[in-house]
Amino acid sequence: MATLDECRAALVQLSENLSRANGKVRAAASLDRSVSCRITDLGVVFTGRLANGTITDIAIAEEPVEPAEIKLAMTGDDLVALVAGKLNFAKAWASGRVRLEASFRDLLRLRTLL
């Protein structure tokens, strides 16, 4: 089971990956939205802001103060595997290992990242 520190490191790495992206991926990550990532096996939620192609203000909460505009939920191991490129997001989402909630418009933009 991934630790809290490993999950935070994975989110920081994801942010760095997004900030270095080009083309369609960069455009998809250029949304300005609040985000949350519930780590189901640790019982915590990471919150932050996706803006200008990076995730900022990453914080930990048992429950977010406000509902995020983009919500993810998965185990810590799945988060670490996704960021490391060992787990395909689209397959994990289709199988229910990863849950994603966002507006229809945001889902259309985010599909480039999938």
Side-chain angles (χ1 to χ4, degrees), residues 36-106:
S36 69
C37 182
R38 179 175 301 281
I39 308 301
T40 57
D41 55 339
L42 296 177
V44 298
V45 178
F46 285 92
T47 60
R49 184 126 203 117
L50 175 63
N52 300 318
T54 191
I55 303 170
T56 60
D57 303 324
I58 298 172
I60 300 172
E62 287 186 21
E63 286 297 324
V65 176
E66 296 180 19
E69 294 164 294
I70 300 172
K71 299 176 194 172
L72 291 159
M74 67 195 80
T75 67
D77 287 341
D78 285 344
L79 172 63
V80 171
L82 281 168
V83 174
K86 297 178 181 177
L87 179 62
N88 179 279
F89 185 90
K91 289 180 183 179
W93 185 35
S95 70
R97 287 176 68 179
V98 172
R99 291 187 312 262
L100 171 64
E101 294 179 38
S103 71
F104 184 70
R105 174 179 262 173
D106 288 347

Side-chain angles (χ1 to χ4, degrees), residues 8-58:
R8 178 187 290 277
L11 289 170
V12 169
Q13 183 62 53
L14 175 61
S15 178
E16 290 172 6
N17 293 350
L18 291 173
S19 70
R20 289 192 302 266
N22 295 313
K24 290 181 181 180
V25 172
R26 180 70 176 183
S30 67
L31 295 169
D32 183 9
R33 302 285 187 272
S34 59
V35 296
S36 69
C37 182
R38 179 175 301 281
I39 308 301
T40 57
D41 55 339
L42 296 177
V44 298
V45 178
F46 285 92
T47 60
R49 184 126 203 117
L50 175 63
N52 300 318
T54 191
I55 303 170
T56 60
D57 303 324
I58 298 172

